[in-house]
Amino acid sequence: MGNATPELQHMSSYNRVTREGVSSSDLLSELDEYQQNLGRQQTSGITLPSLEDDPLPSSPGGVLVLIAIALMVFGLAIDNIFLGFAGAIATFAISLRIIWPNWSRIWIQLVPDPWRAVVIAFVGVLTGIIGLLMLSGSNKEPGSRNIQINWEAIGAVGEIVGALGQILIAIIAVYVAWRQYVISKELTIQQNRITQQQTIDTYFQGVSDLALNEEGLLEDWPQERAIADGRTAAILASVDSEGKAKIIRFLSQSKLLTPLMRDRHLGRPILDGDGGYAEDRVDGVRVIALGVMLAGADLSSTDLRWTELSEANLVRANLQKCDLVKANLSRSLLYEADLSSADINGTRFFYGPVETASPRSRTKRPNYQTGEHTGAVIEKANFSKVERMSESQRYYICAWGGSQTRQTVPGGCEGIPNLLGR
C-alpha cells in the first residue's frame, strides 16, 4: 500500500493543535492575558505616584499621634482642662502634619483623572446650593445684618445630603457586586472554553489512534468504527455550536466522513493511485457515520466551509448565518432546517444536472450521473436571506422544497414547477 493522504498523516501526528481549532495551551495563555487585562481595566485612568519619591511617614509620626491621644484622654480622666486641650491640639496638629504632604497621593489614588473635575464640580454645586440657602434669609429691617443665615434650610439640606449619601453608597455597593459578577462570569466562560478545547483535543487524538496504525495508514475495523461513532456522538452532545463545527471540520478534512471504496473481502480502504483514498458514493463505507448525531443541533454562525455532511440527518438543525461555502449536503435531511442568512456559495445539494436531480429515496439507489435520488431533502426548510444562491440551487430548492420552502427563497420561484407536489 502507498502512503496515506496528507490529511491522515497530519491526523496521526496530531497531538494538541488541530488544523482548524485552537489548542488548549493557546487558550491558557489567552486566559492569563485576559486576567491581566481585567486588572489593567480596573485601574485604568489612575496614575499611581512613585512610593520612592514620596515615602509614607515613618512610624515615629504614628507614635506621636498615639502619645497625644493618650495625653488628651488622661486630661479628660483627671478633669484637667490644660492637659485635655494640650492633648487635643497636639493630636490635631501632628495628624494634620502627617496627612497634609500625602493628601495629593490620596486624591490621585481615589479619584481617576477623568473624574476629578466632575467631583470638584459636584462639591461646587453643593456649596452653591448651601450659599443660596444662606442668602435666602436676607433681611432689610433697619439695624439688622444684610445677610441672615437660614439655619432651617441648611439643616434640611444636610438631611437631604445625608440621605443621598446613603443612597449613593448603596448604589456603589450594587455596582461593585455587579462588576464582580460580570468578571466572574467572563472568567468562567474562558475556563469553560479551555476545558472544552482540552476535551476536543483528547477526542481528536483518540480517534487518530483508533483509525490509524503505527505507520499512519487508515486501518479501521468494524468495532473500531463503532467506538469512533460512539465517541463522536458523545462529544457532539456535550460541546457548544463552535465546538461541533471544529469537530465536523476536523473529521471532514481528515476524510473520516467521506464514503471510501473498500476491499470487498477485507473491508480496508483502497488507494486511488494519486496519493489518496478512492471514494465510492454508492457503496462506500465511512470511518465515522454522523447519522442522527446532528439532528436538531445548533450550528448557527459557525464555519462549515468544505465540510462533508452528505447523508447527515440535519432535521430541524439551526444553520442560521452559517458559512456553508463548498459544503456537501447531498442526500442530507434538511427537513424543517433553518438556513436563513447562510452563505451557500458552491454548496452541493445534489449531483448531476439540476433538471434530472431529485431528493434521496428510502428504497431507490442514487444515480450520481443523472442526479436521481442524490439530492437533499429540503421540505419546509427556511432559505430566507441566504447569500450567493446560484440559479441551479434556486431551481432545485424551488422544485423540491414544497410550497412552504418556496415562500422563503430569495427572488421567488416564479416559472419553476413544484415537483414535490405539496
Side-chain angles (χ1 to χ4, degrees):
M1 295 177 66
N3 293 331
T5 61
E7 292 85 352
L8 290 173
Q9 290 177 349
H10 169 77
M11 187 177 68
S12 64
S13 63
Y14 179 94
N15 185 18
R16 297 184 67 185
V17 183
T18 70
R19 293 180 61 191
E20 304 290 344
V22 181
S23 68
S24 56
S25 60
D26 291 340
L27 283 175
L28 286 169
S29 301
E30 179 183 344
L31 179 59
D32 293 338
E33 182 179 355
Y34 175 78
Q35 291 173 329
Q36 294 173 2
N37 289 338
L38 287 178
R40 287 195 293 269
Q41 291 174 2
Q42 291 175 345
T43 59
S44 61
I46 301 176
T47 304
L48 299 179
S50 173
L51 296 178
E52 298 178 356
D53 298 337
D54 191 12
L56 290 172
S58 57
S59 57
V63 173
L64 292 177
V65 173
L66 293 177
I67 293 175
I69 293 174
L71 181 63
M72 180 183 65
V73 172
F74 181 71
L76 294 175
I78 64 175
D79 195 23
N80 190 314
I81 297 177
F82 176 76
L83 287 179
F85 269 108
I89 294 173
T91 301
F92 178 78
I94 297 173
S95 300
L96 184 62
R97 175 65 182 83
I98 295 173
I99 292 175
W100 185 257
N102 301 283
W103 173 251
S104 60
R105 292 166 49 90
I106 299 173
W107 172 255
I108 291 173
Q109 289 185 1
L110 292 180
V111 184
D113 182 62
W115 293 97
R116 290 170 192 165
V118 176
V119 172
I120 295 174
F122 182 75
V123 174
V125 169
L126 291 179
T127 305
I129 292 174
I130 294 173
L132 291 174
L133 291 174
M134 292 175 67
L135 294 172
S136 65
S138 60
N139 192 346
K140 298 299 183 179
E141 293 182 2
S144 63
R145 288 174 50 87
N146 292 326
I147 299 175
Q148 290 188 351
I149 299 176
N150 191 342
W151 294 107
E152 294 182 358
I154 294 176
V157 170
E159 294 179 357
I160 294 174
V161 170
L164 291 177
Q166 293 178 355
I167 295 173
L168 180 61
I169 292 173
I171 293 174
I172 293 174
V174 172
Y175 174 77
V176 171
W178 175 76
R179 286 299 304 167
Q180 290 177 343
Y181 166 76
V182 171
I183 294 173
S184 176
K185 183 178 180 181
E186 291 175 349
L187 289 175
T188 301
I189 292 173
Q190 292 292 327
Q191 291 169 349
N192 289 341
R193 286 185 58 197
I194 294 173
T195 302
Q196 175 175 287
Q197 186 59 48
Q198 291 173 338
T199 303
I200 293 175
D201 290 345
T202 303
Y203 164 80
F204 288 160
Q205 187 62 47
V207 170
S208 302
D209 294 340
L210 275 176
L212 303 178
N213 60 17
E214 296 179 355
E215 290 76 25
L217 300 176
L218 184 60
E219 188 173 353
D220 57 326
W221 298 100
Q223 186 58 37
E224 292 168 344
R225 290 199 297 272
I227 294 175
D229 287 349
R231 282 188 172 183
T232 304
I235 194 170
L236 285 176
S238 62
V239 297
D240 58 16
S241 57
E242 186 58 39
K244 290 182 176 66
K246 289 179 183 178
I247 294 169
I248 294 171
R249 291 197 302 268
F250 169 77
L251 297 177
S252 297
Q253 295 298 320
S254 301
K255 303 298 182 183
L256 298 181
L257 298 179
T258 304
L260 302 177
M261 184 178 293
R262 302 276 177 165
D263 184 306
R264 305 313 299 174
H265 296 286
L266 298 177
R268 294 183 178 179
I270 299 175
L271 298 175
D272 61 4
D274 294 326
Y277 289 99
E279 296 183 11
D280 185 355
R281 288 285 166 182
V282 179
D283 298 313
V285 178
R286 307 167 194 263
V287 178
I288 294 177
L290 291 177
V292 299
M293 297 179 192
L294 297 176
D298 181 10
L299 295 167
S300 58
S301 303
T302 56
D303 182 3
L304 295 175
R305 293 174 294 173
W306 296 86
T307 51
E308 176 64 57
L309 293 171
S310 60
E311 301 195 19
N313 188 325
L314 293 165
V315 173
R316 298 187 182 90
N318 184 357
L319 298 170
Q320 288 182 349
K321 300 180 180 180
C322 276
D323 190 344
L324 295 171
V325 173
K326 299 294 183 178
N328 189 348
L329 293 172
S330 62
R331 290 180 58 80
S332 62
L333 294 176
L334 293 171
Y335 181 83
E336 293 187 356
D338 188 355
L339 289 87
S340 57
S341 302
D343 187 350
I344 59 172
N345 181 33
T347 303
R348 181 182 290 278
F349 291 98
F350 58 90
Y351 282 85
V354 67
E355 294 80 10
T356 57
S358 61
R360 63 182 289 179
S361 172
R362 294 180 180 178
T363 57
K364 298 179 181 179
R365 290 169 62 85
N367 186 328
Y368 286 89
Q369 299 301 320
T370 64
E372 293 179 291
H373 311 303
T374 64
V377 177
I378 53 175
E379 186 177 0
K380 296 184 179 181
N382 183 7
F383 288 91
S384 59
K385 299 181 181 180
V386 292
E387 301 177 4
R388 299 195 284 182
M389 174 186 285
S390 66
E391 286 302 314
S392 61
Q393 289 173 335
R394 189 168 75 89
Y395 185 93
Y396 177 83
I397 293 170
C398 290
W400 296 104
S403 58
Q404 188 169 330
T405 297
R406 289 166 66 94
Q407 296 175 2
T408 67
V409 177
C413 295
E414 184 177 358
I416 302 177
N418 184 358
L419 300 179
L420 193 64
R422 57 179 182 271

